[in-house]
């Protein structure tokens, strides 16, 4: 048996809140977590919407039925099967979305990249692959991927603001994982601001609004 690859053209889907214009001061690209859809995930950001904010939520390229062969449809960014190809595909996809809207926005617009859960690794891998210009990276309830050496990108990252936000009751972020994550940040000399809120593995609207008001505006 031989494995083959073939590049094909396909249709990606994404959703937006607001309109890009000369008034836009904040450009947010928000990547959902595993088994979510962008149209539902984006609703968490409606409290941030105003005439100065434009938000894009790309959707993972792989869809599946959440409960076997029927029921709700969900999306995923990647699996361990042919993972490098999937990373390349979604990195190219995110870069295309980024470039499409970046060209429509003021030069001084503040670019904020948001990842939730699986979307955190998605954002990081895209950044390391393409090095798009941005100002803030917010990893919410997800960790910096441990299989990346961030040291070669020190110059690229040095003037960026990095945030790690998670709930104190998050069932997925056990103490041993948080300790490994802390060691990863230290060994890679990544300066990351950490915010801990009372809550679970979720993007709570009130907490999101508070974080943005205090840290990101």
């Amino acid at each position: 048996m031989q494995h083959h690859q073939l590049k094909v053209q396909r249709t990606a889907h994404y959703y937006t809140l607001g309109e890009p214009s000369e008034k836009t001061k904040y450009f947010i690209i928000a990547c959902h977590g595993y088994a979510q859809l962008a149209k539902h995930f984006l609703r968490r950001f409606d409290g941030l919407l105003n005439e100065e904010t434009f938000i894009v939520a790309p959707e993972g390229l792989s869809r599946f039925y959440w409960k076997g062969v029927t029921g709700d449809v969900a999306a995923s960014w990647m699996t361990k099967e042919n993972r490098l190809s999937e990373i390349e595909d979604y990195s190219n996809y995110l870069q295309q979305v980024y470039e499409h809207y970046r060209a429509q926005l003021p030069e001084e617009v503040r670019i904020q990249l948001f990842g939730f859960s699986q979307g955190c690794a998605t954002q990081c891998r895209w950044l390391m692959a393409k090095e798009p210009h941005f100002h803030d990276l917010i990893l919410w309830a997800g960790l910096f991927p441990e299989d990346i050496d961030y040291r070669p990108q020190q110059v690229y990252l040095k003037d960026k603001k990095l945030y790690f936000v998670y709930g104190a009751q998050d069932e997925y972020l056990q103490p041993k994982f948080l300790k490994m994550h802390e060691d990863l940040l230290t060994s890679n000399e990544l300066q990351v601001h950490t915010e801990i809120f009372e809550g679970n593995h979720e993007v709570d609207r009130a907490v999101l609004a508070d974080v943005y008001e205090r840290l990101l505006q």
Side-chain angles (χ1 to χ4, degrees), residues 127 134-139 144 150 157-164 185 189-194:
L127 294 180
F134 74 97
H135 299 87
D136 306 294
L137 172 65
I138 305 97
L139 301 190
F144 284 83
Y150 300 89
L157 294 172
K158 71 176 183 178
D159 60 343
K160 313 297 193 296
K161 294 184 178 180
L162 312 178
Y163 300 88
F164 173 44
L185 299 182
E189 301 179 6
L190 293 174
Q191 302 298 316
V192 179
H193 176 83
T194 300

Side-chain angles (χ1 to χ4, degrees), residues 6 23 33 68 88 95 114 124 145 151-152 167 172 178 183 190 211:
L6 177 66
K23 296 181 180 179
E88 180 183 7
Q95 187 68 19
F114 183 104
C124 290
R151 289 169 294 182
Y172 295 103
L178 293 173
D183 293 342
L190 293 174
V211 168

Side-chain angles (χ1 to χ4, degrees), residues 143 171-183:
L143 309 177
E171 62 272 30
Y172 295 103
L173 299 180
Q174 300 174 16
K176 64 178 181 180
F177 297 132
L178 293 173
K179 178 59 169 63
M180 293 170 58
H181 187 243
E182 182 180 346
D183 293 342

Side-chain angles (χ1 to χ4, degrees), residues 20-217:
S21 74
E22 68 279 357
K23 296 181 180 179
T24 303
K25 292 184 178 180
Y26 302 97
F27 174 33
I28 303 172
I29 299 179
C31 289
H32 63 77
Y34 175 75
Q36 294 184 313
L37 290 179
K39 63 183 178 181
H40 301 315
F41 178 65
L42 188 56
R43 292 172 185 163
R44 294 286 159 181
F45 293 78
D46 54 14
L48 305 182
L49 187 61
N50 54 53
E51 65 176 7
E52 296 180 341
T53 303
F54 176 61
I55 310 170
V56 178
E59 188 165 276
L61 294 171
S62 298
R63 289 201 185 110
F64 58 96
Y65 287 112
W66 179 234
K67 296 181 179 180
V69 296
T70 61
D72 294 337
V73 175
S76 171
W77 290 101
M78 63 170 290
T79 67
K80 64 182 179 181
E81 186 75 8
N82 302 130
R83 60 187 299 275
L84 295 181
S85 295
E86 292 198 320
I87 291 171
E88 180 183 7
D89 288 344
Y90 73 58
S91 294
N92 290 335
Y93 161 35
L94 293 176
Q95 187 68 19
Q96 187 172 345
V97 171
Y98 168 90
E99 291 176 354
H100 175 74
Y101 286 109
R102 182 66 188 87
Q104 303 177 45
L105 296 169
E107 183 65 28
E108 65 277 11
V109 68
R110 186 165 173 177
I111 302 171
Q112 301 174 323
L113 308 179
F114 183 104
F116 170 66
S117 194
Q118 189 192 46
C120 295
T122 301
Q123 289 279 16
C124 290
R125 292 190 171 108
W126 165 44
L127 294 180
M128 295 300 98
K130 300 296 185 178
E131 295 193 355
H133 174 64
F134 74 97
H135 299 87
D136 306 294
L137 172 65
I138 305 97
L139 301 190
W140 195 290
L143 309 177
F144 284 83
E146 73 282 357
D147 59 338
I148 295 177
D149 181 1
Y150 300 89
R151 289 169 294 182
Q153 275 80 20
Q154 286 295 326
V155 174
Y156 169 60
L157 294 172
K158 71 176 183 178
D159 60 343
K160 313 297 193 296
K161 294 184 178 180
L162 312 178
Y163 300 88
F164 173 44
V165 184
Y166 69 96
Q169 292 77 39
D170 192 319
E171 62 272 30
Y172 295 103
L173 299 180
Q174 300 174 16
K176 64 178 181 180
F177 297 132
L178 293 173
K179 178 59 169 63
M180 293 170 58
H181 187 243
E182 182 180 346
D183 293 342
L184 173 72
L185 299 182
T186 300
S187 64
N188 282 273
E189 301 179 6
L190 293 174
Q191 302 298 316
V192 179
H193 176 83
T194 300
E195 284 277 320
I196 306 174
F197 63 89
E198 289 299 316
N200 299 312
H201 193 73
E202 61 182 348
V203 180
D204 180 85
R205 282 184 173 88
V207 176
L208 179 64
D210 175 67
V211 168
Y212 262 82
E213 182 178 358
R214 290 188 295 106
L215 303 177
L216 298 165
Q217 293 186 344

Side-chain angles (χ1 to χ4, degrees), residues 9-13 61 63 93:
Q9 188 175 35
R10 61 164 301 169
T11 302
H13 301 266
L61 294 171
R63 289 201 185 110
Y93 161 35

